[in-house]
Amino acid sequence: MQDEPITPQVAETAPDKTPQNTFAISESAARQIARLALERGTPGAALRVAVKGGGCSGLTYAMDWADAPRERDKVFERDGAKVVIDPKSYLYLMG
């Protein structure tokens, strides 16, 4: 009996789902980001996520608040909560 060849299957993403190779904000994270922004008195602010030099592996994560995105930032939004990521950090985050 000859073994059937194994063919990799690629899962298709439904139109309302976030593709697997992008940054996504969970529902819970969106609630927390919105709550923290409101607590600090800047409900329209975005959470800035960055990858910087440092740490044991040579890289470390940094988070801060941004009143507005920078020109080349990638902006992600869910339920009113925003996250901004600079292009270089985005490449590291996406692996």
Side-chain angles (χ1 to χ4, degrees), residues 8-21:
Q9 300 295 314
V10 177
E12 291 190 27
T13 305
D16 62 333
K17 300 289 183 182
T18 302
Q20 291 181 3
N21 63 342

Side-chain angles (χ1 to χ4, degrees), residues 10-87:
V10 177
E12 291 190 27
T13 305
D16 62 333
K17 300 289 183 182
T18 302
Q20 291 181 3
N21 63 342
T22 190
F23 185 87
I25 305 168
S26 71
E27 184 179 334
S28 176
R31 281 194 307 270
Q32 292 298 325
I33 293 167
R35 180 184 62 79
L36 291 169
L38 189 61
E39 282 179 7
R40 68 186 297 269
T42 55
L47 181 66
R48 175 170 297 284
V49 177
V51 178
K52 305 211 181 249
C56 297
S57 69
L59 298 171
T60 187
Y61 295 104
M63 288 188 236
D64 199 4
W65 292 99
D67 292 325
R70 295 180 187 144
E71 184 179 334
R72 296 186 50 204
D73 280 347
K74 297 205 175 272
V75 180
F76 301 90
E77 189 168 354
R78 179 173 183 162
D79 302 329
K82 290 183 233 169
V83 174
V84 294
I85 305 171
D86 67 90

